[in-house]
mmCIF file of all heavy atoms in Angstrom:
data_model
loop_
_atom_site.group_PDB
_atom_site.id
_atom_site.type_symbol
_atom_site.label_atom_id
_atom_site.label_comp_id
_atom_site.label_asym_id
_atom_site.label_seq_id
_atom_site.Cartn_x
_atom_site.Cartn_y
_atom_site.Cartn_z
ATOM 1 N N ARG A 1 92.830 110.863 92.581
ATOM 2 C CA ARG A 1 92.032 109.719 92.145
ATOM 3 C C ARG A 1 91.322 109.014 93.296
ATOM 4 O O ARG A 1 90.207 108.520 93.125
ATOM 5 C CB ARG A 1 92.904 108.698 91.408
ATOM 6 C CG ARG A 1 93.585 109.257 90.166
ATOM 7 C CD ARG A 1 94.280 108.157 89.365
ATOM 8 N NE ARG A 1 95.352 107.528 90.134
ATOM 9 C CZ ARG A 1 95.395 106.228 90.429
ATOM 10 N NH1 ARG A 1 94.417 105.422 90.025
ATOM 11 N NH2 ARG A 1 96.417 105.721 91.111
ATOM 12 N N PHE A 2 91.987 108.953 94.445
ATOM 13 C CA PHE A 2 91.430 108.279 95.615
ATOM 14 C C PHE A 2 91.010 109.302 96.656
ATOM 15 O O PHE A 2 91.649 110.350 96.800
ATOM 16 C CB PHE A 2 92.464 107.353 96.252
ATOM 17 C CG PHE A 2 92.844 106.139 95.421
ATOM 18 C CD1 PHE A 2 92.432 105.994 94.121
ATOM 19 C CD2 PHE A 2 93.635 105.159 95.992
ATOM 20 C CE1 PHE A 2 92.794 104.887 93.373
ATOM 21 C CE2 PHE A 2 94.006 104.049 95.256
ATOM 22 C CZ PHE A 2 93.591 103.913 93.952
ATOM 23 N N THR A 3 89.979 108.976 97.381
ATOM 24 C CA THR A 3 89.513 109.817 98.472
ATOM 25 C C THR A 3 89.225 108.968 99.684
ATOM 26 O O THR A 3 88.488 107.979 99.604
ATOM 27 C CB THR A 3 88.240 110.585 98.084
ATOM 28 O OG1 THR A 3 88.482 111.383 96.922
ATOM 29 C CG2 THR A 3 87.819 111.506 99.229
ATOM 30 N N ILE A 4 89.825 109.343 100.811
ATOM 31 C CA ILE A 4 89.564 108.638 102.052
ATOM 32 C C ILE A 4 88.577 109.447 102.883
ATOM 33 O O ILE A 4 88.642 110.679 102.926
ATOM 34 C CB ILE A 4 90.870 108.348 102.824
ATOM 35 C CG1 ILE A 4 90.614 107.383 103.976
ATOM 36 C CG2 ILE A 4 91.520 109.636 103.321
ATOM 37 C CD1 ILE A 4 91.888 106.813 104.585
ATOM 38 N N SER A 5 87.685 108.771 103.541
ATOM 39 C CA SER A 5 86.710 109.419 104.392
ATOM 40 C C SER A 5 86.392 108.498 105.570
ATOM 41 O O SER A 5 86.836 107.345 105.615
ATOM 42 C CB SER A 5 85.436 109.767 103.621
ATOM 43 O OG SER A 5 84.821 108.603 103.098
ATOM 44 N N ARG A 6 85.641 109.013 106.503
ATOM 45 C CA ARG A 6 85.344 108.222 107.690
ATOM 46 C C ARG A 6 83.944 108.512 108.191
ATOM 47 O O ARG A 6 83.357 109.561 107.915
ATOM 48 C CB ARG A 6 86.344 108.541 108.800
ATOM 49 C CG ARG A 6 86.226 109.972 109.312
ATOM 50 C CD ARG A 6 87.259 110.314 110.333
ATOM 51 N NE ARG A 6 87.046 111.679 110.840
ATOM 52 C CZ ARG A 6 87.816 112.276 111.713
ATOM 53 N NH1 ARG A 6 88.881 111.647 112.195
ATOM 54 N NH2 ARG A 6 87.541 113.512 112.112
ATOM 55 N N ASP A 7 83.417 107.576 108.923
ATOM 56 C CA ASP A 7 82.190 107.744 109.672
ATOM 57 C C ASP A 7 82.522 107.354 111.103
ATOM 58 O O ASP A 7 82.563 106.168 111.442
ATOM 59 C CB ASP A 7 81.070 106.872 109.104
ATOM 60 C CG ASP A 7 79.748 107.089 109.822
ATOM 61 O OD1 ASP A 7 79.732 107.644 110.919
ATOM 62 O OD2 ASP A 7 78.707 106.678 109.262
ATOM 63 N N ASN A 8 82.782 108.348 111.931
ATOM 64 C CA ASN A 8 83.231 108.079 113.284
ATOM 65 C C ASN A 8 82.170 107.374 114.122
ATOM 66 O O ASN A 8 82.502 106.644 115.069
ATOM 67 C CB ASN A 8 83.648 109.377 113.975
ATOM 68 C CG ASN A 8 84.944 109.932 113.431
ATOM 69 O OD1 ASN A 8 85.747 109.209 112.858
ATOM 70 N ND2 ASN A 8 85.148 111.229 113.606
ATOM 71 N N THR A 9 80.914 107.597 113.806
ATOM 72 C CA THR A 9 79.852 106.953 114.575
ATOM 73 C C THR A 9 79.842 105.451 114.346
ATOM 74 O O THR A 9 79.323 104.705 115.187
ATOM 75 C CB THR A 9 78.477 107.530 114.227
ATOM 76 O OG1 THR A 9 78.141 107.228 112.865
ATOM 77 C CG2 THR A 9 78.469 109.029 114.427
ATOM 78 N N LYS A 10 80.400 105.009 113.237
ATOM 79 C CA LYS A 10 80.452 103.593 112.909
ATOM 80 C C LYS A 10 81.861 103.022 112.968
ATOM 81 O O LYS A 10 82.066 101.846 112.636
ATOM 82 C CB LYS A 10 79.874 103.356 111.515
ATOM 83 C CG LYS A 10 78.439 103.816 111.350
ATOM 84 C CD LYS A 10 77.926 103.508 109.951
ATOM 85 C CE LYS A 10 76.535 104.064 109.739
ATOM 86 N NZ LYS A 10 75.544 103.455 110.661
ATOM 87 N N ASN A 11 82.828 103.844 113.371
ATOM 88 C CA ASN A 11 84.244 103.426 113.397
ATOM 89 C C ASN A 11 84.644 102.823 112.052
ATOM 90 O O ASN A 11 85.314 101.786 111.993
ATOM 91 C CB ASN A 11 84.502 102.437 114.530
ATOM 92 C CG ASN A 11 84.417 103.071 115.904
ATOM 93 O OD1 ASN A 11 84.731 104.249 116.071
ATOM 94 N ND2 ASN A 11 83.995 102.299 116.894
ATOM 95 N N THR A 12 84.249 103.495 111.004
ATOM 96 C CA THR A 12 84.446 102.982 109.658
ATOM 97 C C THR A 12 85.201 103.978 108.795
ATOM 98 O O THR A 12 84.936 105.188 108.862
ATOM 99 C CB THR A 12 83.099 102.649 108.995
ATOM 100 O OG1 THR A 12 82.437 101.635 109.765
ATOM 101 C CG2 THR A 12 83.291 102.135 107.582
ATOM 102 N N VAL A 13 86.106 103.477 108.003
ATOM 103 C CA VAL A 13 86.842 104.286 107.049
ATOM 104 C C VAL A 13 86.559 103.753 105.658
ATOM 105 O O VAL A 13 86.399 102.545 105.457
ATOM 106 C CB VAL A 13 88.362 104.279 107.356
ATOM 107 C CG1 VAL A 13 88.946 102.892 107.205
ATOM 108 C CG2 VAL A 13 89.089 105.285 106.468
ATOM 109 N N TYR A 14 86.492 104.663 104.695
ATOM 110 C CA TYR A 14 86.215 104.309 103.311
ATOM 111 C C TYR A 14 87.347 104.815 102.418
ATOM 112 O O TYR A 14 87.964 105.838 102.689
ATOM 113 C CB TYR A 14 84.906 104.937 102.830
ATOM 114 C CG TYR A 14 83.719 104.629 103.703
ATOM 115 C CD1 TYR A 14 83.338 105.510 104.707
ATOM 116 C CD2 TYR A 14 82.979 103.467 103.530
ATOM 117 C CE1 TYR A 14 82.249 105.241 105.516
ATOM 118 C CE2 TYR A 14 81.893 103.184 104.335
ATOM 119 C CZ TYR A 14 81.529 104.075 105.326
ATOM 120 O OH TYR A 14 80.444 103.795 106.129
ATOM 121 N N LEU A 15 87.582 104.091 101.365
ATOM 122 C CA LEU A 15 88.508 104.537 100.339
ATOM 123 C C LEU A 15 87.807 104.458 98.992
ATOM 124 O O LEU A 15 87.572 103.363 98.475
ATOM 125 C CB LEU A 15 89.786 103.687 100.322
ATOM 126 C CG LEU A 15 90.866 104.158 99.358
ATOM 127 C CD1 LEU A 15 91.428 105.510 99.813
ATOM 128 C CD2 LEU A 15 91.987 103.127 99.248
ATOM 129 N N GLN A 16 87.446 105.611 98.464
ATOM 130 C CA GLN A 16 86.844 105.690 97.154
ATOM 131 C C GLN A 16 87.963 105.760 96.122
ATOM 132 O O GLN A 16 88.766 106.695 96.142
ATOM 133 C CB GLN A 16 85.936 106.917 97.033
ATOM 134 C CG GLN A 16 85.284 107.074 95.669
ATOM 135 C CD GLN A 16 84.310 105.971 95.367
ATOM 136 O OE1 GLN A 16 83.482 105.614 96.216
ATOM 137 N NE2 GLN A 16 84.390 105.413 94.167
ATOM 138 N N MET A 17 88.010 104.786 95.245
ATOM 139 C CA MET A 17 89.079 104.681 94.260
ATOM 140 C C MET A 17 88.485 104.875 92.877
ATOM 141 O O MET A 17 87.699 104.047 92.414
ATOM 142 C CB MET A 17 89.789 103.332 94.363
ATOM 143 C CG MET A 17 90.332 103.024 95.755
ATOM 144 S SD MET A 17 91.312 101.498 95.808
ATOM 145 C CE MET A 17 90.018 100.291 95.458
ATOM 146 N N ASN A 18 88.860 105.956 92.234
ATOM 147 C CA ASN A 18 88.379 106.281 90.900
ATOM 148 C C ASN A 18 89.548 106.256 89.916
ATOM 149 O O ASN A 18 90.714 106.308 90.310
ATOM 150 C CB ASN A 18 87.728 107.658 90.887
ATOM 151 C CG ASN A 18 86.510 107.757 91.760
ATOM 152 O OD1 ASN A 18 85.766 106.789 91.923
ATOM 153 N ND2 ASN A 18 86.270 108.943 92.318
ATOM 154 N N SER A 19 89.204 106.187 88.648
ATOM 155 C CA SER A 19 90.223 106.193 87.590
ATOM 156 C C SER A 19 91.303 105.162 87.864
ATOM 157 O O SER A 19 92.498 105.445 87.754
ATOM 158 C CB SER A 19 90.819 107.594 87.433
ATOM 159 O OG SER A 19 89.820 108.540 87.132
ATOM 160 N N LEU A 20 90.893 103.970 88.197
ATOM 161 C CA LEU A 20 91.841 102.941 88.579
ATOM 162 C C LEU A 20 92.745 102.554 87.418
ATOM 163 O O LEU A 20 92.322 102.526 86.266
ATOM 164 C CB LEU A 20 91.104 101.714 89.097
ATOM 165 C CG LEU A 20 90.575 101.862 90.530
ATOM 166 C CD1 LEU A 20 89.500 100.828 90.811
ATOM 167 C CD2 LEU A 20 91.723 101.716 91.527
ATOM 168 N N LYS A 21 93.981 102.264 87.765
ATOM 169 C CA LYS A 21 94.998 101.868 86.809
ATOM 170 C C LYS A 21 95.487 100.471 87.127
ATOM 171 O O LYS A 21 95.402 100.033 88.275
ATOM 172 C CB LYS A 21 96.188 102.839 86.865
ATOM 173 C CG LYS A 21 95.830 104.297 86.650
ATOM 174 C CD LYS A 21 97.059 105.179 86.844
ATOM 175 C CE LYS A 21 96.729 106.632 86.632
ATOM 176 N NZ LYS A 21 97.927 107.506 86.850
ATOM 177 N N PRO A 22 96.025 99.763 86.145
ATOM 178 C CA PRO A 22 96.609 98.450 86.444
ATOM 179 C C PRO A 22 97.652 98.493 87.547
ATOM 180 O O PRO A 22 97.793 97.527 88.297
ATOM 181 C CB PRO A 22 97.215 98.030 85.096
ATOM 182 C CG PRO A 22 96.369 98.706 84.086
ATOM 183 C CD PRO A 22 96.025 100.039 84.692
ATOM 184 N N GLU A 23 98.371 99.601 87.663
ATOM 185 C CA GLU A 23 99.374 99.743 88.699
ATOM 186 C C GLU A 23 98.786 99.772 90.104
ATOM 187 O O GLU A 23 99.519 99.636 91.084
ATOM 188 C CB GLU A 23 100.192 101.030 88.485
ATOM 189 C CG GLU A 23 100.819 101.143 87.111
ATOM 190 C CD GLU A 23 99.928 101.907 86.148
ATOM 191 O OE1 GLU A 23 99.089 101.257 85.483
ATOM 192 O OE2 GLU A 23 100.078 103.143 86.049
ATOM 193 N N ASP A 24 97.482 99.957 90.210
ATOM 194 C CA ASP A 24 96.822 99.932 91.505
ATOM 195 C C ASP A 24 96.545 98.515 91.988
ATOM 196 O O ASP A 24 96.101 98.334 93.128
ATOM 197 C CB ASP A 24 95.506 100.706 91.451
ATOM 198 C CG ASP A 24 95.696 102.180 91.149
ATOM 199 O OD1 ASP A 24 96.615 102.781 91.727
ATOM 200 O OD2 ASP A 24 94.916 102.720 90.335
ATOM 201 N N THR A 25 96.784 97.542 91.146
ATOM 202 C CA THR A 25 96.546 96.149 91.523
ATOM 203 C C THR A 25 97.412 95.766 92.713
ATOM 204 O O THR A 25 98.635 95.903 92.671
ATOM 205 C CB THR A 25 96.824 95.214 90.346
ATOM 206 O OG1 THR A 25 95.890 95.483 89.293
ATOM 207 C CG2 THR A 25 96.694 93.760 90.767
ATOM 208 N N ALA A 26 96.781 95.297 93.768
ATOM 209 C CA ALA A 26 97.497 94.938 94.992
ATOM 210 C C ALA A 26 96.490 94.386 95.984
ATOM 211 O O ALA A 26 95.278 94.455 95.783
ATOM 212 C CB ALA A 26 98.197 96.162 95.584
ATOM 213 N N VAL A 27 97.018 93.849 97.061
ATOM 214 C CA VAL A 27 96.198 93.546 98.216
ATOM 215 C C VAL A 27 96.164 94.805 99.082
ATOM 216 O O VAL A 27 97.218 95.348 99.428
ATOM 217 C CB VAL A 27 96.736 92.355 99.030
ATOM 218 C CG1 VAL A 27 95.888 92.125 100.273
ATOM 219 C CG2 VAL A 27 96.770 91.102 98.169
ATOM 220 N N TYR A 28 94.989 95.252 99.401
ATOM 221 C CA TYR A 28 94.803 96.450 100.201
ATOM 222 C C TYR A 28 94.471 96.058 101.630
ATOM 223 O O TYR A 28 93.576 95.253 101.877
ATOM 224 C CB TYR A 28 93.683 97.319 99.624
ATOM 225 C CG TYR A 28 94.114 98.066 98.377
ATOM 226 C CD1 TYR A 28 94.366 97.387 97.192
ATOM 227 C CD2 TYR A 28 94.282 99.447 98.398
ATOM 228 C CE1 TYR A 28 94.785 98.062 96.055
ATOM 229 C CE2 TYR A 28 94.685 100.138 97.272
ATOM 230 C CZ TYR A 28 94.934 99.437 96.099
ATOM 231 O OH TYR A 28 95.337 100.114 94.980
ATOM 232 N N TYR A 29 95.207 96.637 102.555
ATOM 233 C CA TYR A 29 95.059 96.317 103.973
ATOM 234 C C TYR A 29 94.580 97.538 104.746
ATOM 235 O O TYR A 29 95.181 98.611 104.657
ATOM 236 C CB TYR A 29 96.390 95.878 104.569
ATOM 237 C CG TYR A 29 96.954 94.604 103.986
ATOM 238 C CD1 TYR A 29 97.820 94.642 102.900
ATOM 239 C CD2 TYR A 29 96.628 93.379 104.536
ATOM 240 C CE1 TYR A 29 98.344 93.485 102.372
ATOM 241 C CE2 TYR A 29 97.145 92.208 104.015
ATOM 242 C CZ TYR A 29 98.004 92.264 102.934
ATOM 243 O OH TYR A 29 98.530 91.103 102.412
ATOM 244 N N CYS A 30 93.534 97.346 105.482
ATOM 245 C CA CYS A 30 93.100 98.387 106.415
ATOM 246 C C CYS A 30 94.057 98.409 107.605
ATOM 247 O O CYS A 30 94.546 97.360 108.054
ATOM 248 C CB CYS A 30 91.678 98.111 106.889
ATOM 249 S SG CYS A 30 90.993 99.370 107.988
ATOM 250 N N HIS A 31 94.321 99.601 108.104
ATOM 251 C CA HIS A 31 95.231 99.768 109.227
ATOM 252 C C HIS A 31 94.683 100.837 110.154
ATOM 253 O O HIS A 31 94.114 101.836 109.678
ATOM 254 C CB HIS A 31 96.615 100.179 108.718
ATOM 255 C CG HIS A 31 97.622 100.374 109.806
ATOM 256 N ND1 HIS A 31 97.909 101.616 110.344
ATOM 257 C CD2 HIS A 31 98.417 99.492 110.462
ATOM 258 C CE1 HIS A 31 98.833 101.482 111.272
ATOM 259 N NE2 HIS A 31 99.157 100.206 111.360
ATOM 260 N N ALA A 32 94.841 100.620 111.447
ATOM 261 C CA ALA A 32 94.338 101.592 112.401
ATOM 262 C C ALA A 32 95.172 101.581 113.663
ATOM 263 O O ALA A 32 95.719 100.539 114.059
ATOM 264 C CB ALA A 32 92.879 101.295 112.758
ATOM 265 N N TYR A 33 95.280 102.746 114.275
ATOM 266 C CA TYR A 33 95.869 102.881 115.606
ATOM 267 C C TYR A 33 94.721 103.065 116.584
ATOM 268 O O TYR A 33 93.994 104.055 116.520
ATOM 269 C CB TYR A 33 96.834 104.043 115.667
ATOM 270 C CG TYR A 33 98.167 103.753 115.042
ATOM 271 C CD1 TYR A 33 98.462 104.163 113.758
ATOM 272 C CD2 TYR A 33 99.134 103.057 115.759
ATOM 273 C CE1 TYR A 33 99.681 103.879 113.181
ATOM 274 C CE2 TYR A 33 100.357 102.769 115.185
ATOM 275 C CZ TYR A 33 100.634 103.186 113.900
ATOM 276 O OH TYR A 33 101.855 102.906 113.330
ATOM 277 N N ILE A 34 94.588 102.113 117.477
ATOM 278 C CA ILE A 34 93.433 102.052 118.353
ATOM 279 C C ILE A 34 93.874 101.874 119.805
ATOM 280 O O ILE A 34 94.754 101.064 120.098
ATOM 281 C CB ILE A 34 92.505 100.892 117.950
ATOM 282 C CG1 ILE A 34 91.978 101.111 116.531
ATOM 283 C CG2 ILE A 34 91.349 100.742 118.941
ATOM 284 C CD1 ILE A 34 91.208 99.938 115.973
ATOM 285 N N MET A 35 93.253 102.630 120.692
ATOM 286 C CA MET A 35 93.430 102.428 122.118
ATOM 287 C C MET A 35 92.254 101.614 122.631
ATOM 288 O O MET A 35 91.101 101.999 122.474
ATOM 289 C CB MET A 35 93.509 103.766 122.858
ATOM 290 C CG MET A 35 93.796 103.614 124.345
ATOM 291 S SD MET A 35 93.845 105.201 125.225
ATOM 292 C CE MET A 35 95.277 105.961 124.473
ATOM 293 N N ARG A 36 92.551 100.496 123.227
ATOM 294 C CA ARG A 36 91.505 99.643 123.785
ATOM 295 C C ARG A 36 91.012 100.188 125.115
ATOM 296 O O ARG A 36 91.714 100.928 125.805
ATOM 297 C CB ARG A 36 92.033 98.234 123.992
ATOM 298 C CG ARG A 36 92.408 97.499 122.722
ATOM 299 C CD ARG A 36 93.088 96.190 123.052
ATOM 300 N NE ARG A 36 92.234 95.325 123.848
ATOM 301 C CZ ARG A 36 92.661 94.235 124.479
ATOM 302 N NH1 ARG A 36 93.934 93.883 124.410
ATOM 303 N NH2 ARG A 36 91.810 93.490 125.171
#
């Protein structure tokens, strides 16, 4: 149902969420491991 993808040139990640269910209700947090 969900697909994660990225655009490395923009340091951006996407989460395409399809066929959503009530059980998907939540606060969604982006998370990353980054070296400064």
Side-chain angles (χ1 to χ4, degrees):
R1 300 188 297 121
F2 292 8
T3 302
I4 191 167
S5 61
R6 66 184 183 182
D7 183 343
N8 288 337
T9 65
K10 301 182 185 297
N11 290 329
T12 299
V13 64
Y14 306 94
L15 185 66
Q16 179 66 46
M17 305 186 294
N18 298 327
S19 302
L20 283 162
K21 304 175 180 179
E23 306 93 271
D24 296 317
T25 295
V27 177
Y28 284 69
Y29 296 91
C30 183
H31 180 264
Y33 282 99
I34 298 172
M35 184 182 295
R36 295 172 60 193

